[in-house]
Amino acid sequence: MAFHRIMLALFALTALSLVACGGGTADGASSQEEAGGDETAGDEAVESTEAAGEAAPAVAPLGPDAPEAAHDAEYARSEIHRMEVELQAHLEADEVDCEDATEAREGICEVATRICAMDQSDADIAARCEAANVDCEEARETVGPHCPE
């Protein structure tokens, strides 16, 4: 079990660092720019969400003049993503550990609550709150059949 947790942590850190770095190359150009595409990161997020069949609302990338609170909300969304990866690993295990799955689900919902406690008059924060609430609800629906409350 300890080995499994270490591997999950390494995978989550790798995923988080890819998200934080934006998937860029060593010279700072993204693979999208190298390909000559003209889609924005927001379009990519919508496409990947649609491809996965999820109903999460699209969240536009932050502009250079976005307030620090919006960046805090964006960072919190990356925490949710890490926990979603962890939750999925728990649910895909041969035997679902309900304690761990429930803990991951509650972590997702706690971060969503933290984002939604921020200033909702900022459109960037409001969008991230809405998306985080969808993530929380999806986590509840995903864990429910495996680990009823």
Side-chain angles (χ1 to χ4, degrees), residues 55-70:
V59 177
L62 294 174
D65 59 339
E68 185 176 339

Side-chain angles (χ1 to χ4, degrees), residues 12-124:
L13 286 173
T14 302
L16 182 60
S17 62
L18 285 174
V19 169
C21 293
T25 60
D27 66 354
S30 73
S31 57
Q32 184 69 21
E33 291 167 355
E34 287 178 3
D38 58 0
E39 295 181 27
T40 65
D43 292 337
E44 291 170 1
V46 171
E47 287 176 11
S48 66
T49 299
E50 290 171 355
E54 299 173 4
V59 177
L62 294 174
D65 59 339
E68 185 176 339
H71 287 282
D72 291 345
E74 181 65 16
Y75 178 75
R77 292 271 299 134
S78 69
E79 287 182 62
I80 287 177
H81 176 72
R82 180 193 55 79
M83 287 185 269
E84 288 173 331
V85 170
E86 181 180 328
L87 175 60
Q88 194 60 37
H90 290 307
L91 297 177
E92 289 174 355
D94 291 336
E95 213 174 292
V96 175
D97 182 336
C98 285
E99 183 178 340
D100 288 343
T102 301
E103 185 178 305
R105 176 199 66 204
E106 291 308 309
I108 291 168
C109 293
E110 286 173 13
V111 174
T113 300
R114 195 171 77 217
I115 293 170
C116 293
M118 295 177 181
D119 182 11
Q120 296 297 301
S121 65
D122 183 300
D124 289 324

